């Protein structure tokens, strides 16, 4: 009986080998891949083991995942194994791994937890794609960039814990490792701060379309749960506390720290020079730091000029500018940034700020710059020349609120829009700028602003498939990136999205996935 089963397996292996070969599909595409004309058929009673604590955990996770697969039905007595080996002495780079599939054994190896985790994600994709019939191959893989991020704005619209967890799962499978969480802005404050309860009882009321919408926010318990969920998937969560601008929700709740503002931008800024403001910020940061173990805190720093009108007329602010030789309101803005960066540094963390902070005169050792103004390439160059580390999230092509297809109507455009291909090809068009500064470029990020994204369907549609392209652009070595090959593989990932019930734009059949309705008439924008 055993003999017959083995023969059956052998014949099956050869039949399938022909179809499986040269069809390995992995996202993102790996650094090295060699394959043989042989096949490994996964069976349900295969031995899966690790060589210690974390490797054992991954082995158990894989066992659990396999239980849910209906296609593993060939039952043979097993000598073959899947082995997870974490060896901190081996000479893999931090996130690198090796995945070796032989006819008798699958070996996953790395010198770090991150690497071993990614080896498992790669294997899992191959199992799903080939329904357990794996090409014998050897993958040696490591990333191009250390920062592979996704930003979600939950101030303008709130999506909640389950959606965030679903995205963290997808990010992990794409080897994205940073979740930048934009939780504060003019529309709403979305995180419980025990010392300042009005931040949530008042500050979290409303969304972009309805200022009276019921309060929506994350409790500290929720935050801890999500941070742990992300850490389990090798994802670092970076909170953003946007200041001194985009602070409307805070200042609405605590007018004593407001810097005024006018009309639509009322209460847009923190008061830039009251000691009370800095005490308030420091206290909030204490709670944020307790919740988020990441070494970084994003402090915003963008678009202050939108709502700093009262800085020009308030006699106390004007006196402060004169007495401290700050020259003008921009000098005052820079003073504010320097103080906050120092507060963050005094708490043992590194600040991240939008690219305006390049001009604030902060030491490059204390802050990391997020370059977003694609039309100001000199700001990127200046950041690099001054010695800052930089994360690239230029509006074009990395802002998810820009449309992705010519006939789409809801979302931004600015001398064009952000197609899947433009996301994939980045940063080749600006490589010339970064030459000589490569070590300062930490990586890149797809940023999803949600003014015009009021529900999950629109969020999914604007995120996918562009986030898959970003993941490959950030992970895969530039020499291995190839848009045609990516597009050939893409239908497989789209099928996985279908299985999870996630809506996306299908670039191969645009009319089969129509743009979800605009949340509001005014959302049908063409410019800006
Ligand atoms: C600019 S990016 C902003 C956001 C908006 C976004 C819309 C940045 C630092 N500020 O507040 O949501 O444009 O695309």
């Amino acid at each position: 009986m055993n003999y017959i089963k083995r023969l059956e397996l052998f014949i099956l292996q050869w039949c399938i080998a022909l179809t499986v070969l040269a069809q390995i599909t992995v996202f993102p595409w790996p650094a090295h891949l060699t394959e043989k004309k042989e096949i490994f058929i996964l069976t349900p009673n295969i031995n899966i083991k690790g060589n210690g604590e974390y490797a054992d955990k991954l082995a158990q996770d894989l066992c659990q995942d396999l239980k849910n697969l209906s296609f593993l039905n060939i039952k043979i007595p097993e000598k073959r194994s899947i082995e997870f080996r974490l060896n901190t002495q081996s000479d893999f780079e931090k996130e690198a791994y090796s995945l070796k599939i032989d006819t008798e054994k699958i070996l996953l190896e790395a010198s770090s937890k991150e690497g071993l985790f990614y080896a498992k994600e790669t294997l899992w994709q191959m199992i799903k794609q080939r329904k357990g019939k794996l090409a014998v191959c050897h993958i040696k893989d490591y990333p191009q960039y250390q920062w592979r991020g996704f930003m979600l704005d939950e101030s303008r619209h709130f999506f909640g814990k389950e959606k965030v967890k679903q995205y963290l799962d997808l990010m992990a499978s794409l080897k994205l490792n940073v979740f930048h969480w934009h939780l504060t802005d003019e529309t709403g404050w979305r995180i419980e701060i025990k010392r300042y309860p009005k931040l949530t009882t008042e500050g979290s009321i409303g969304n972009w379309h309805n200022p009276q919408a019921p309060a929506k926010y994350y409790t500290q318990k929720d935050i801890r749960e999500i941070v742990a969920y992300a850490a389990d998937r090798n994802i670092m969560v970076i909170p953003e506390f946007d200041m001194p601008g985009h602070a409307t929700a805070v200042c609405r709740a605590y007018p004593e720290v407001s810097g005024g503002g006018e009309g639509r931008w009322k209460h847009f800024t923190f008061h830039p020079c009251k000691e009370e403001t800095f005490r308030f910020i420091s206290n909030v940061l204490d709670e944020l730091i307790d919740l988020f173990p990441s070494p970084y805190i994003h402090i915003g720093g963008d678009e202050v000029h939108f709502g700093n009108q009262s800085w020009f007329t308030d006699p106390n602010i004007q006196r402060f500018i004169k007495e401290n030789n700050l020259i003008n309101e921009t000098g005052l803005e820079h003073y504010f940034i320097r103080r906050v960066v120092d507060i963050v540094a005094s708490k043992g963390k590194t600040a991240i700020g939008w690219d305006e902070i390049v001009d604030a005169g902060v030491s490059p050792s204390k802050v990391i710059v997020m370059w977003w103004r694609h039309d100001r390439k000199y700001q990127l160059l200046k950041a690099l020349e001054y010695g800052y580390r930089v994360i690239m999230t230029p509006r074009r092509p990395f802002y998810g609120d820009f449309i992705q297809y010519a006939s789409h109507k809801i979302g931004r455009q600015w001398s064009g829009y952000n197609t899947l291909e433009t996301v994939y090809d980045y940063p080749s068009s600006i490589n010339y700028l970064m030459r000589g500064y490569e070590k300062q470029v930490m990586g890149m990020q797809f940023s999803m602003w949600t003014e015009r994204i009021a529900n999950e369907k629109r969020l999914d549609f604007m995120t996918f498939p562009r986030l898959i392209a970003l993941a490959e652009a950030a992970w895969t070595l530039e020499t291995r990136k190839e848009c045609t090959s990516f597009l050939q593989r893409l239908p497989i990932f789209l099928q996985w999205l279908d299985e999870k019930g996630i809506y996306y734009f299908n670039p191969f059949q645009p009319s089969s996935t129509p743009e979800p309705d605009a949340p509001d008439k005014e959302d049908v924008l063409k410019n800006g």
Side-chain angles (χ1 to χ4, degrees), residues 403 408-412 452 458 462 515-519 523-524:
I403 62 166
H408 291 168
K409 298 211 162 24
I410 309 154
R412 301 185 75 188
R452 290 162 207 106
R458 269 197 63 72
M462 298 303 270
E515 194 177 20
D517 282 345
D523 290 327
V524 182

Side-chain angles (χ1 to χ4, degrees), residues 153 156 182 185-186 240 242 246 302-303 306 354-356 372 395 399 401-402 412 449-452:
D153 165 12
R156 273 60 174 267
H182 188 81
D185 214 302
E186 66 265 13
E240 180 176 350
D242 204 348
H246 290 275
D302 57 312
E303 299 179 323
F306 278 8
W354 298 108
D355 65 40
E356 284 90 336
W372 67 284
R395 277 178 291 222
Y399 272 17
D401 58 337
F402 279 61
R412 301 185 75 188
W449 301 100
T450 60
E451 288 93 331
R452 290 162 207 106

Side-chain angles (χ1 to χ4, degrees), residues 317-335 338:
I317 294 182
Q318 287 299 318
R319 190 172 337 108
F320 190 87
I321 291 176
K322 277 208 189 69
E323 282 173 9
N324 291 279
N325 295 323
L326 297 172
I327 303 178
N328 55 25
E329 294 68 23
T330 309
L332 177 60
E333 177 185 329
H334 295 160
Y335 159 87
R338 288 194 299 274

Side-chain angles (χ1 to χ4, degrees), residues 231-466:
D232 234 21
R233 286 154 184 75
N234 189 40
I235 296 169
M236 164 166 79
V237 187
I238 314 283
E240 180 176 350
F241 175 8
D242 204 348
M243 56 183 135
H246 290 275
T248 323
V250 190
C251 299
R252 221 168 48 213
Y254 290 92
E256 54 273 37
V257 294
S258 170
E262 261 175 26
R264 186 181 160 210
W265 305 107
K266 200 164 165 250
H267 285 322
F268 185 74
T269 68
F270 272 108
H271 193 286
C273 48
K274 259 191 195 171
E275 281 311 303
E276 192 177 352
T277 304
F278 296 104
R279 270 198 304 277
F280 180 95
I281 290 169
S282 172
N283 291 335
V284 172
L285 283 171
D286 282 340
E287 292 195 32
L288 289 181
I289 285 168
D290 186 48
L291 291 169
F292 295 91
S294 74
Y296 311 113
I297 301 281
H298 201 306
I299 58 160
D302 57 312
E303 299 179 323
V304 178
H305 61 278
F306 278 8
N308 67 350
Q309 297 84 355
S310 356
W311 297 12
F312 292 78
T313 50
D314 181 317
N316 291 330
I317 294 182
Q318 287 299 318
R319 190 172 337 108
F320 190 87
I321 291 176
K322 277 208 189 69
E323 282 173 9
N324 291 279
N325 295 323
L326 297 172
I327 303 178
N328 55 25
E329 294 68 23
T330 309
L332 177 60
E333 177 185 329
H334 295 160
Y335 159 87
F336 178 96
I337 294 289
R338 288 194 299 274
R339 279 212 49 183
V340 173
V341 168
D342 282 340
I343 296 174
V344 172
S346 74
K347 297 177 191 295
K349 300 277 172 174
T350 302
I352 301 178
W354 298 108
D355 65 40
E356 284 90 336
I357 59 157
V358 170
D359 300 311
V362 187
S363 156
S365 64
K366 289 188 192 158
V367 77
I368 295 169
V369 173
M370 251 186 198
W371 179 57
W372 67 284
R373 291 178 294 179
H374 70 286
D375 52 335
R376 297 188 188 212
K377 294 208 173 58
Y378 54 84
Q379 199 69 2
L380 168 64
L381 196 56
K382 214 198 287 180
L384 294 169
E385 277 176 358
Y386 286 1
Y388 290 105
R389 285 162 290 167
V390 172
I391 296 151
M392 291 183 287
T393 185
R395 277 178 291 222
R396 303 264 340 264
F398 286 161
Y399 272 17
D401 58 337
F402 279 61
I403 62 166
Q404 57 195 314
Y405 191 66
S407 66
H408 291 168
K409 298 211 162 24
I410 309 154
R412 301 185 75 188
Q413 294 195 45
W414 184 323
S415 323
Y417 47 91
N418 297 339
T419 63
L420 184 65
E421 289 83 353
T422 56
V423 174
Y424 189 86
D425 285 335
Y426 215 74
S428 61
S429 61
I430 58 149
N431 273 347
Y432 70 98
L433 274 177
M434 300 190 293
R435 212 152 285 142
Y437 297 111
E438 288 83 356
K439 287 214 171 82
Q440 284 165 243
V441 180
M442 291 174 74
M444 40 212 204
Q445 174 174 301
F446 194 66
S447 295
M448 187 56 78
W449 301 100
T450 60
E451 288 93 331
R452 290 162 207 106
I453 299 175
N455 56 53
E456 292 188 11
K457 190 170 182 188
R458 269 197 63 72
L459 179 64
D460 292 344
F461 180 81
M462 298 303 270
T463 306
F464 295 104
R466 290 183 294 184

